[in-house]
Amino acid sequence: MKLDPIRRRLLELVAHRDPPTDLKKASLACGKNHAYLHQFVHRGTPRRLPEDVRWALAAHLGVDESVLRDGTPPPPQPSGARQVEAVTTRRPRVYSRILDPDHEPGVVAVPEVRVTAAAGGGAVAEYEALGDSWYFPVDWLRHELRARAADLKIISIDGDSMEPVLAAGDKVLIDTSRTAPSPPGIFVLHDGLGLVAKQVEYVPNTDPPTLLIKSANPRYQDYERTVDEVTIAGRVIWFARRL
């Protein structure tokens, strides 16, 4: 089929997005099935993008939603460094302010919390709600992160021990159902001294079972703790950073 200006513009935005995306990823980011935008572009179904999809797609592509609105020309863009700044400093919270999970079944709220984990193996991590929620497409959580919204929390990184992988102020999404360090990964845990985000892996053939806890920053030394000495709050599965 012959593409109208909106469909051509969508393909251009997808092709030039940084970081890269495609129609499948963009569809999932809108809370739709993976073929939704392919059908919209190439088969004309739906004929127009619903408003909720348009807002979610604009957030994913880092553009104003009016760019994807029928009959509306794209707004003038600043040039040079200002244009880069306008795009790269856009944060996921723009998306969260637009979508209301009570009226948008395609999105779900994930609370931002402060973890107050007790020391000692088997202790249960407790969370203090900070009053903010981040809204994510349900299908994206399910298919891309393979996680359930009920198991997820957002917390802030403090300190530089995981730089350059994670920096102070980064927001990380932790899956509280994944507390076993196998396979190895980045976990939020209480190591007996305080709450940290670290690379954690199980040391084979140890008795008692032992974990190797590592920093990404070479200034910090690796160390070991027995399983009984730590409380793992969850595995880090996603992060956001302001540029």
Side-chain angles (χ1 to χ4, degrees):
M1 61 174 288
K2 184 178 179 180
L3 301 184
D4 59 25
I6 291 295
R7 288 171 170 80
R8 290 199 304 271
R9 189 174 303 147
L10 172 57
L11 290 177
E12 291 173 358
L13 291 169
V14 167
H16 292 93
R17 182 181 185 266
D18 186 19
T21 190
D22 54 32
L23 291 178
K24 176 182 176 180
K25 292 179 181 178
S27 297
L28 295 175
C30 297
K32 300 296 183 179
N33 68 67
H34 69 278
Y36 182 86
L37 290 177
H38 185 277
Q39 293 174 344
F40 169 72
V41 171
H42 298 290
R43 298 184 181 180
T45 304
R47 190 165 65 89
R48 289 190 176 92
L49 289 174
E51 184 177 4
D52 62 324
V53 174
R54 192 174 70 245
W55 279 106
L57 182 57
H60 177 67
L61 296 173
V63 299
D64 191 278
E65 63 84 23
S66 63
V67 175
L68 300 170
R69 193 183 307 161
D70 286 351
T72 303
Q77 296 291 328
S79 60
R82 290 190 177 182
Q83 181 175 359
V84 174
E85 181 182 2
V87 174
T88 58
T89 58
R90 188 179 298 272
R91 302 181 64 193
R93 288 178 184 270
V94 174
Y95 183 23
S96 70
R97 291 193 187 104
I98 293 167
L99 297 179
D100 181 354
D102 293 332
H103 300 91
E104 302 289 348
V107 299
V108 65
V110 174
E112 184 170 348
V113 301
R114 179 183 295 111
V115 184
T116 54
V124 178
E126 297 180 355
Y127 305 97
E128 176 187 348
L130 298 180
D132 292 327
S133 291
W134 294 54
Y135 301 140
F136 295 90
V138 174
D139 283 352
W140 181 77
L141 292 176
R142 182 183 303 121
H143 297 296
E144 291 294 318
L145 300 184
R146 299 179 182 178
R148 298 187 318 132
D151 297 326
L152 302 177
K153 309 288 184 189
I154 291 277
I155 71 170
S156 294
I157 294 295
D158 185 21
D160 63 353
S161 69
M162 285 301 293
E163 289 184 352
V165 179
L166 296 173
D170 286 354
K171 305 291 185 179
V172 296
L173 184 64
I174 63 171
D175 187 337
T176 62
S177 71
R178 301 170 68 183
T179 57
S182 179
I186 299 176
F187 292 82
V188 173
L189 69 151
H190 197 293
D191 64 356
L193 296 176
L195 191 71
V196 294
K198 297 285 188 181
Q199 179 80 22
V200 180
E201 60 185 79
Y202 171 66
V203 181
N205 304 318
T206 52
D207 186 17
T210 301
L211 303 177
L212 177 61
I213 302 173
K214 302 191 293 186
S215 301
N217 190 331
R219 292 175 50 218
Y220 295 83
Q221 293 184 342
D222 301 344
Y223 57 99
E224 294 184 355
R225 292 285 188 273
T226 66
V227 170
D228 289 339
E229 292 175 322
V230 305
T231 301
I232 296 180
R235 179 186 288 265
V236 175
I237 59 174
W238 178 89
F239 81 98
R241 174 178 299 165
R242 181 170 183 172
L243 299 178

